[in-house]
């Protein structure tokens, strides 16, 4: 058992099927890949932090703005707590994709405060704006980034090499 094992971490990794996992190798890989973060300079790190705060604020502003547009009574604290539970809570729960658990949780939480008529439309709009719109944007941007990274010399049709 875990309590009687001489090496509890190794025992746990074996039990979950990760016996080939080597923390030292993983730490070295993280250090190598994050090296650019430390060599980027304070300006770029600050820009990244500002963008992260802006992104999180914009993402959490979607539900309060949607409920205000529908004149649905939902206070800001409830809107943020509902979204925090869904964004961060369901990211940790291993549910299969397309299972609808976040949608059911959203509907249940929102129906406590908002009349039932606009909840379905709010759900569809909220889900599109917070989840699917990012995927669409990534699908548009990714081919250009992929070509630039793999040496085609062009990003979105614009020559990048001198």
């Amino acid at each position: 058992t875990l309590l009687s094992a001489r090496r509890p971490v190794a025992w746990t990794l074996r039990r979950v099927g990760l016996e080939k996992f080597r923390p030292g190798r993983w730490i070295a890989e993280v250090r190598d890949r994050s090296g650019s973060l430390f060599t980027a300079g304070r300006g770029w790190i600050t820009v990244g932090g500002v963008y992260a705060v802006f992104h999180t604020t914009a993402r959490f502003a979607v539900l309060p703005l949607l409920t205000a547009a529908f004149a649905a009574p939902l206070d800001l604290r409830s809107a943020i707590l509902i979204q925090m539970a869904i964004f961060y809570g369901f990211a940790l729960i291993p549910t299969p994709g397309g299972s609808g658990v976040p949608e059911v949780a959203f509907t249940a939480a929102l129906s406590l405060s908002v009349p039932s008529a606009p909840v379905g439309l709010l759900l569809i709009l909220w889900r599109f704006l917070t989840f699917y719109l990012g995927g669409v944007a990534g699908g548009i941007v990714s081919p250009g980034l992929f070509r630039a990274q793999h040496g085609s010399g062009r990003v979105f049709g614009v020559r990048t090499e001198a």
Side-chain angles (χ1 to χ4, degrees):
T1 67
L2 176 62
L3 297 176
S4 65
R6 282 186 39 214
R7 297 176 52 200
V9 174
W11 184 88
T12 305
L13 291 173
R14 263 194 321 275
R15 295 294 286 179
V16 297
L18 294 173
E19 60 271 351
K20 293 182 181 180
F21 176 75
R22 300 287 180 258
R25 189 174 1 156
W26 180 78
I27 290 170
E29 186 175 333
V30 168
R31 190 180 317 121
D32 290 344
R33 290 178 186 240
S34 62
S36 62
L37 176 67
F38 300 112
T39 60
R42 291 183 187 196
W44 287 111
I45 292 172
T46 304
V47 168
V50 168
Y51 279 140
V53 169
F54 175 73
H55 171 262
T56 304
T57 304
R59 197 168 185 199
F60 281 116
V62 170
L63 184 58
L65 291 173
L66 283 175
T67 55
F70 284 93
L74 184 66
D75 63 311
L76 186 61
R77 186 180 313 133
S78 296
I80 295 210
L81 287 175
I82 290 169
Q83 292 181 103
M84 280 182 71
I86 292 172
F87 289 147
Y88 302 123
F90 287 112
L92 301 174
I93 298 172
T95 57
S99 65
V101 174
E103 288 84 359
V104 170
F106 179 87
T107 304
L110 204 59
S111 63
L112 297 173
S113 306
V114 177
S116 61
V119 169
L121 186 57
L122 281 171
L123 170 66
I124 292 169
L125 290 171
W126 173 79
R127 189 72 170 169
F128 174 76
L129 292 172
T130 59
F131 285 90
Y132 301 125
L133 193 60
V136 170
I140 292 169
V141 171
S142 292
L145 292 176
F146 182 77
R147 277 189 236 109
Q149 185 178 10
H150 287 61
S152 72
R154 294 184 167 272
V155 176
F156 300 119
V158 177
R159 192 148 195 62
T160 58
E161 295 175 353

